[in-house]
Amino acid sequence: MGPQCESRTVARAIGQGDDIDTIAAMAGTLSGARLGISGIPKHLLDCLEEYARILGV
């Protein structure tokens, strides 16, 4: 495990407990910034609302 996988990073953050929604959001943001869109698994991208519009930005 490490910073090379967005979903593992977020899952590990969730596993820490406490304020998990904030911690997972921060972990996902940092991981996404480091890895870029190619680091986010397709099955998660498919869940995003307005994904096509986001890509156009």
Side-chain angles (χ1 to χ4, degrees):
M1 189 176 322
Q4 57 273 42
C5 181
E6 171 89 11
S7 57
R8 286 172 130 179
T9 300
V10 173
R12 187 166 183 187
I14 290 169
Q16 300 304 308
D18 292 325
D19 191 10
I20 61 172
D21 57 339
T22 302
I23 300 299
M26 291 171 30
T29 299
L30 292 171
S31 181
R34 181 176 189 275
L35 301 173
I37 198 161
S38 63
I40 303 172
K42 182 169 178 2
H43 72 276
L44 294 179
L45 292 174
D46 291 341
C47 295
L48 290 175
E49 293 180 23
E50 300 188 43
Y51 175 58
R53 186 176 72 83
I54 292 169
L55 287 180
V57 171

